[in-house]
Amino acid sequence: NAARVFTPLGWEWELIVCDNNSTDKTSEIARANGAKVVFEPINQIARARNSGAAAANGAWIIFVDADSHPSAELFADTAEAIRSGKFIAGGTIMRMDKKIPFAPRMVVHLWNLASRWKKLLAGSFIFCDAEVFRKTGGFNNELFCAEELELSQRLKKFAKENHKRLVVLHRHPLVTSARKMHLYSTREHISLLAKMIFNSS
């Protein structure tokens, strides 16, 4: 529904779902709603995203995690960034879909600040020029975590060399699942956040 904002711009778009060994009716539901379904046999987010990207035909690719809900307004901002010609890739800040305790809430707030400051792209929503994505090698299949941060670093280097930029949108945050905030302790989240900030150029 959100992607329909592209139609008045004269843009054609497609929806691709990567089934990464789901045990429910993911593929069936996706196909029933007009999506192209690809299958990735190895359980790994980098490989799943790369498999989806390999099936994409567009000039730009937007990666959206299955537990996230991009709004029409966010897609409109994405289209505006693409049409500006200034950027090769971008992301957005995020908002949890459920109320979470104070400490994890502060971690999300700090991540959003760091994301905008250091141009770190959260894997739950990344848009990228398809040619640039392929030239820079896509997501690293050797990584089982922080693959989006490693990609952010390579995209920033490519952008600098080509007099372009990355952007992190902030007017309409991505609504995403709060489940990850319950998987790790506040200390673990803060430790990872600190490493991301100090290790990014």
Side-chain angles (χ1 to χ4, degrees), residues 86-122:
K86 299 176 182 177
F87 310 107
I88 60 162
T92 184
I93 63 172
M94 63 182 71
R95 176 168 61 84
M96 299 297 104
D97 61 353
K98 295 177 182 177
K99 190 173 181 179
I100 55 177
F102 176 78
R105 194 162 67 247
M106 287 300 99
V107 170
V108 174
H109 179 65
L110 289 171
W111 160 258
N112 286 336
L113 290 175
S115 177
R116 292 185 65 188
W117 173 33
K118 292 287 192 175
K119 299 298 181 285
L120 299 172
L121 309 181

Side-chain angles (χ1 to χ4, degrees), residues 49 56 123 163:
R49 289 178 179 146
H163 310 290

Side-chain angles (χ1 to χ4, degrees), residues 170-188:
H170 61 276
R171 295 195 302 179
H172 304 286
L174 176 75
V175 177
T176 191
S177 172
R179 66 184 177 83
K180 291 187 180 76
M181 301 310 298
H182 300 291
L183 293 177
Y184 307 101
S185 69
T186 300
R187 177 180 292 181
E188 288 173 319

Side-chain angles (χ1 to χ4, degrees), residues 44-129:
Q44 184 188 14
I45 189 64
R47 290 178 182 272
R49 289 178 179 146
N50 285 335
S51 292
N57 297 302
W60 285 77
I61 304 171
I62 304 177
F63 297 92
V64 184
D65 279 1
D67 59 0
S68 301
H69 306 277
S71 64
E73 291 81 6
L74 175 55
F75 274 164
D77 284 352
T78 301
E80 184 179 335
I82 291 171
R83 295 176 77 192
S84 74
K86 299 176 182 177
F87 310 107
I88 60 162
T92 184
I93 63 172
M94 63 182 71
R95 176 168 61 84
M96 299 297 104
D97 61 353
K98 295 177 182 177
K99 190 173 181 179
I100 55 177
F102 176 78
R105 194 162 67 247
M106 287 300 99
V107 170
V108 174
H109 179 65
L110 289 171
W111 160 258
N112 286 336
L113 290 175
S115 177
R116 292 185 65 188
W117 173 33
K118 292 287 192 175
K119 299 298 181 285
L120 299 172
L121 309 181
S124 50
F125 187 92
I126 293 175
F127 61 95
C128 188
D129 180 303

Side-chain angles (χ1 to χ4, degrees), residues 28 44 76 79 91 105 117 120 134 147 161 167 169 175-176 200:
E28 181 183 327
Q44 184 188 14
R105 194 162 67 247
W117 173 33
L120 299 172
R134 293 176 178 120
E147 72 292 329
E161 291 170 350
V167 62
L169 306 172
V175 177
T176 191
S200 62

